[in-house]
Amino acid sequence: METLANLADGFVIALTWQNMLLALVGCFLGTLMGALPGLGPANGVAILIPIAFSLGLGPTPALILLTSVYYGAMYGGRISSILLNIPGDEPAMMTCLDGYPMAQQGKAGEALTLSGIASFVGSFFATCGLVLLAPQLVKIALLFGPAEYFVLFTLAFATLGGISSTNQAKSAFAAALGLAIAMIGSDSQTGSQRFTFGEIHLYDGIDFLIAIVGLFALSEVFIFLEHHRGGAVGKSGAMQIGKLMPDMSLVKRCLPTMGRGTLIGFIAGVLPGAGASLGSFLAYSVEKSTVDRHGETFGKGDPRGVAAPEAGNNAASGGALVPMLALGVPGSGTTAVLLAVLLQLNITPGPLLFQKNPDVVWGLIAALFIANLMLLALNIPMVGLFTRVLLVPTRILMPVVAMISFVGIYAITNSTFDVMMMVGFGLAGWVLRKLDVPMVPIILGILLGNEMEVNMRRAMTISDGDWSIFVSSPLSIILWVIAITGFVLPIFLGRRMKKRIEANRPDEQAEIGD
């Protein structure tokens, strides 16, 4: 009953005109950004962070705007997957397998509507799971001491490369790079300067918002300019949508598929580092083995092959918020960006968040329910409008992204040094992405580096310098086992998983996005 009372209070906060408007704007912009191939939710959120802070929004409105963008981008990723056979982001890759064949059969509108309904089911029930699970996880998190928190942060670094990662060495390098950047500035205990090289602007360390906007948003500008060179995102002769509403019998036939995908995706999202990609892959694989064991319809335009991955990846996006809010450990790349927003707003995620800032967390959760209804209303009747964004030339789109980044960062910091540093991070991000070095562990290192160091020092002080404190409790040992398993498992399963994804595709779809 206490949870329901808190949720009711959250709806009182979320149903103000300002928060409703921000949720609507976030849903609309998120869907547009999700539809653009390669942009994805993390980049979409990163691009809008400067705007959120420039507007002077409080913690709850800012989070409502950015999480609505997050949910909207997860919805929007299906559009280019179905129409162009180009996934809007990695989790939408599985939607290509049956979505594009449906579009080739003249059923693009039905595929878009069905995937929108599946996205709604996955997101809505994942948000319900967030309401039920997060407060329970908080009770466990209150048992954590400094040693357990240090191991928990280690677990986050070990697993955030994802189960589909094929090069854990690059993930480890990225995490080490992020931790090294976090060390720049004044030592929190002694006050001595570390790696500042006499530059006064570095005495307070590097603002993680500058790093995020540079590594995600600005590097995306360089990537787009390199690959598209001013052309349109999509094809000039984009596929016709056709009939929009599927038969109700088809929707009913796909409801069990959506239910299974939602459950699988939510579990995958709660696991740190698993994320929406694993949720989408598992949902599709389980559904195929359940209803099409002989491969007769999946990969050839089966509507259930569209519903399963969409329910899975959207449920995973809701599940990823659980560890971020309850433990302060992001469950995905986008929640790592949202974690930075919370820290910038002087709000510390974790077990005390539900006690010290209940208005923020419950207002946010209530707004997610409202955002899901808005997204369902937007994504079915307005799907034709969202598809038009695929024809926007990058010579128009990318300068807008760059302008938002420059103006937003300068409005927040009023420092040309920070703007130049953002450009430096953008160039570094462009180079690292060309080398297939993941960005998320870098951001996580910058975000959690100081907290990790503080908890390590506290644990060492308590134990009088005895390193065994990090393996002295059953909880620490369990976390170490999960961390080691999460780091080692992708080495053996990553390539196999990617091969299975490729094997699921028909021959004519072997190359996505050519």
Side-chain angles (χ1 to χ4, degrees):
M1 291 300 294
E2 182 183 355
T3 299
L4 293 178
N6 289 329
L7 185 60
D9 292 339
F11 273 106
V12 172
I13 297 170
L15 288 173
T16 61
W17 69 268
Q18 181 193 37
N19 291 337
M20 293 278 286
L21 180 61
L22 289 171
L24 180 61
V25 171
C27 290
F28 183 80
L29 294 178
T31 304
L32 289 178
M33 292 177 176
L36 294 170
L39 202 56
N43 291 324
V45 172
I47 289 170
L48 289 180
I49 285 176
I51 292 181
F53 282 97
S54 299
L55 293 174
L57 297 177
T60 303
L63 284 173
I64 287 174
L65 172 64
L66 296 174
T67 51
S68 297
V69 171
Y70 176 26
Y71 268 35
M74 295 302 297
Y75 272 71
R78 76 196 201 283
I79 295 175
S80 58
S81 298
I82 292 170
L83 294 181
L84 303 177
N85 202 28
I86 306 173
D89 53 6
E90 187 179 349
M93 184 182 299
M94 304 305 295
T95 308
C96 294
L97 305 184
D98 284 277
Y100 188 65
M102 284 187 70
Q104 290 178 313
Q105 297 165 17
K107 300 178 182 178
E110 294 182 42
L112 287 167
T113 300
L114 187 64
S115 60
I117 295 172
S119 297
F120 170 77
V121 171
S123 294
F124 185 84
F125 286 102
T127 307
C128 293
L130 172 62
V131 171
L132 297 173
L133 186 58
Q136 306 307 317
L137 197 58
V138 164
K139 296 177 182 178
I140 299 175
L142 290 173
L143 302 174
F144 283 36
E148 285 77 16
Y149 267 111
F150 175 81
V151 182
L152 183 66
F153 293 147
T154 304
L155 183 152
F157 286 112
T159 58
L160 206 57
I163 195 71
S164 61
S165 173
T166 56
N167 195 326
Q168 290 294 77
K170 289 183 178 179
S171 296
F173 168 76
L177 182 59
L179 289 171
I181 294 173
M183 295 298 104
I184 296 174
S186 301
D187 186 293
S188 59
Q189 287 193 355
T190 65
S192 60
Q193 301 301 318
R194 301 185 297 192
F195 310 114
T196 58
F197 306 104
E199 176 57 61
I200 192 171
H201 292 93
L202 296 178
Y203 281 10
D204 290 331
I206 292 178
D207 192 324
F208 35 72
L209 287 184
I210 295 171
I212 287 173
V213 175
L215 289 173
F216 282 100
L218 210 56
S219 69
E220 195 67 39
V221 174
F222 298 139
I223 294 291
F224 264 75
L225 291 177
E226 178 186 13
H227 289 290
H228 294 280
R229 298 184 184 278
V233 176
K235 304 173 185 177
S236 58
M239 192 170 293
Q240 295 299 315
I241 293 177
K243 175 185 174 184
L244 195 60
M245 292 302 297
D247 296 332
M248 286 305 298
S249 59
L250 177 60
V251 176
K252 290 179 180 178
R253 186 159 65 97
C254 291
L255 285 178
T257 297
M258 297 177 193
R260 287 188 287 266
T262 298
L263 179 61
I264 293 169
F266 181 73
I267 294 172
V270 171
L271 299 174
S277 299
L278 180 63
S280 175
F281 172 76
L282 289 179
Y284 185 89
S285 300
V286 169
E287 194 62 27
K288 182 178 180 181
S289 63
T290 302
V291 302
D292 186 37
R293 296 180 181 178
H294 303 293
E296 297 174 354
T297 59
F298 269 52
K300 301 174 184 177
D302 192 318
R304 293 168 295 185
V306 174
E310 282 302 308
N313 68 39
N314 281 273
S317 67
L321 291 172
V322 175
M324 186 201 80
L325 293 174
L327 301 177
V329 174
S332 67
T334 311
T335 51
V337 177
L338 292 172
L339 178 66
V341 175
L342 282 169
L343 295 175
Q344 186 71 15
L345 292 167
N346 294 320
I347 295 175
T348 304
L352 297 180
L353 175 63
F354 286 76
Q355 297 177 9
K356 292 184 176 181
N357 304 99
D359 55 327
V360 173
V361 66
W362 290 109
L364 171 62
I365 293 173
L368 293 178
F369 282 107
I370 298 170
N372 273 312
L373 294 172
M374 290 179 174
L375 283 166
L376 183 64
L378 288 173
N379 273 267
I380 294 180
M382 297 180 64
V383 71
L385 173 63
F386 291 129
T387 60
R388 306 303 295 179
V389 75
L390 299 175
L391 304 180
V392 176
T394 53
R395 66 177 181 272
I396 296 175
L397 180 68
M398 289 301 109
V400 172
V401 174
M403 179 192 69
I404 292 173
S405 301
F406 279 92
V407 174
I409 288 298
Y410 186 77
I412 295 169
T413 65
N414 294 314
S415 169
T416 54
F417 180 86
D418 289 339
V419 172
M420 296 307 298
M421 186 181 297
M422 178 191 69
V423 175
F425 273 109
L427 291 171
W430 175 62
V431 172
L432 291 170
R433 290 172 70 170
K434 290 177 70 68
L435 297 174
D436 292 325
V437 176
M439 297 292 101
V440 174
I442 299 176
I443 295 300
L444 195 65
I446 298 173
L447 289 177
L448 300 182
N450 288 326
E451 279 296 313
M452 193 173 185
E453 179 187 9
V454 167
N455 279 285
M456 185 190 74
R457 284 179 163 180
R458 286 175 180 170
M460 294 299 290
T461 301
I462 292 170
S463 66
D464 197 23
D466 186 359
W467 289 91
S468 65
I469 190 175
F470 296 111
V471 290
S472 61
S473 70
L475 187 56
S476 296
I477 295 172
I478 292 172
L479 292 174
W480 276 118
V481 171
I482 297 174
I484 294 170
T485 303
F487 185 80
V488 173
L489 203 59
I491 298 174
F492 300 99
L493 296 184
R495 294 185 185 278
R496 185 183 304 175
M497 182 173 164
K498 287 188 179 292
K499 287 179 181 178
R500 286 188 63 185
I501 292 175
E502 294 295 330
N504 277 325
R505 306 185 193 191
D507 292 339
E508 66 268 22
Q509 298 180 63
E511 294 295 332
I512 291 178
D514 283 354

